[in-house]
Amino acid sequence: AQKVTQAQTEISVVEKEDVTLDCVYETRDTTYYLFWYKQPPSGELVFLIRRNSFDEQNEISGRYSWNFQKSTSSFNFTITASQVVDSAVYFCALSRMDSSYKLIFGSGTRLLVRP
Amino acid sequence: GAVVSQHPSRVICKSGTSVKIECRSLDFQATTMFWYRQFPKQSLMLMATSNEGSKATYEQGVEKDKFLINHASLTLSTLTVTSAHPEDSSFYICSASRDRNLGTFGSGTRLTVV
C-alpha cells in the first residue's frame, strides 16, 4: 500500500523566515515518483516538482529547495526567505512509476506567511 | 503547452438534480484523465481513472452509478454527479495526461448542493 504523511497541519511564519514542510511516504515499490504541489486559495493545483526514486540529488529552484532522503523515506520542502505570496496549502504526493500517474496525496500543510 | 480547462469553476444546484463537469485538454491528446475530490480542508482523493474509449476505473468506495464518467474523445472527459445531495458538495478537480507523461490539473470545480 502507498501512503503519504504530512504531519504538519498548519505552519505560521513571519515573512523572510525560512520554513520546511515535511513529507514522509510509504511504498513497497522500488521505483516511484514524488511530487510537491501548491494550492493557493483560488483552488488550482500548481505543480512544483517531480522527483524519481533513483535520483537522490537535492534540488534548488530559486527560493525553493527539496531534500530527498530515501533512507528515511522523506521528501522535505524548504522555502527560503518566505513571502506572503507563499501562503497556500502544500501537498506532497506519490505515484507508481508506470503509465497511470495515479497520485496519492498527503493531507497537506497549510502555510501562512504573515507580513 | 499542456493546458487543461475545467468548467464550470463554480456551480450551485438543487438537491436531486444532476451536474455535469467538463475537463478538456486544450493543446494535447489526453489518453488518461483522472478525477479527484477534495472536501473542505482535506486532501485530494482519487475518484476514478478514465481512458479514452473505455469504461472508467473507480476507486473503492466511489459509486459509479452516482459519479458518471465519460471519456469519449482524447480531449474531453466529463464527470456527471447524478441526483446530487448536500454531502456531494465538494471541490472536484481533473487531471489529464498523455502516455507516460506527467498529468496536468484543471482549475477545479466547486460544487455546492443546496
Side-chain angles (χ1 to χ4, degrees), chain A residues 4 28 34-35 46 60 66 71 85 98 105 107:
Chain A
V4 177
R28 293 181 181 174
L34 293 164
F35 302 80
V46 178
I60 297 174
W66 291 269
S71 60
V85 293
D98 58 19
F105 284 89
S107 54

Side-chain angles (χ1 to χ4, degrees), chain A residues 16-61:
Chain A
K16 296 184 184 177
E17 283 185 18
D18 298 347
V19 58
T20 295
L21 309 181
D22 298 332
C23 174
V24 174
Y25 62 92
E26 295 176 31
T27 180
R28 293 181 181 174
D29 294 341
T30 54
T31 57
Y32 47 87
Y33 288 114
L34 293 164
F35 302 80
W36 275 96
Y37 285 89
K38 174 182 179 180
Q39 187 178 42
S42 51
E44 76 273 20
L45 278 176
V46 178
F47 168 78
L48 297 179
I49 189 171
R50 178 185 71 176
R51 171 65 68 200
N52 63 50
S53 54
F54 41 82
D55 182 1
E56 288 194 66
Q57 281 191 339
N58 291 328
E59 183 155 340
I60 297 174
S61 176

Side-chain angles (χ1 to χ4, degrees), chain B residues 70-101:
Chain B
N70 185 287
H71 191 166
S73 78
L74 284 170
T75 58
L76 174 65
S77 176
T78 59
L79 167 66
T80 301
V81 184
T82 62
S83 187
H85 290 288
E87 57 266 29
D88 298 324
S89 298
S90 188
F91 186 68
Y92 294 87
I93 191 165
C94 69
S95 171
S97 70
R98 288 168 285 196
D99 283 342
R100 308 190 69 79
N101 279 304

Side-chain angles (χ1 to χ4, degrees), chain A residues 35 39 100-103 105-106, chain B residues 34 36 38 43 46 101-102:
Chain A
F35 302 80
Q39 187 178 42
S100 72
Y101 271 100
K102 189 163 67 173
L103 293 173
F105 284 89
Chain B
F34 304 91
Y36 294 84
Q38 183 182 29
S43 188
L46 179 67
N101 279 304
L102 179 66

Side-chain angles (χ1 to χ4, degrees), chain A residues 94-114:
Chain A
L94 169 70
S95 82
R96 310 190 80 163
M97 196 171 277
D98 58 19
S99 59
S100 72
Y101 271 100
K102 189 163 67 173
L103 293 173
I104 307 298
F105 284 89
S107 54
T109 297
R110 184 175 300 274
L111 174 64
L112 175 62
V113 181
R114 308 186 313 273

Side-chain angles (χ1 to χ4, degrees), chain B residues 1 10-11 13-14 20 32 41 47-49 58 61 67-69 72 75 80 84-86 89 98 102-103 107 111 113:
Chain B
R10 289 178 180 273
V11 58
C13 71
K14 289 186 177 180
K20 181 184 282 189
T32 305
K41 296 195 176 183
M47 298 175 67
T49 304
Y58 289 81
F67 298 100
L68 300 179
I69 291 172
T75 58
T80 301
H85 290 288
S89 298
R98 288 168 285 196
L102 179 66
S107 53
L111 170 64
V113 185

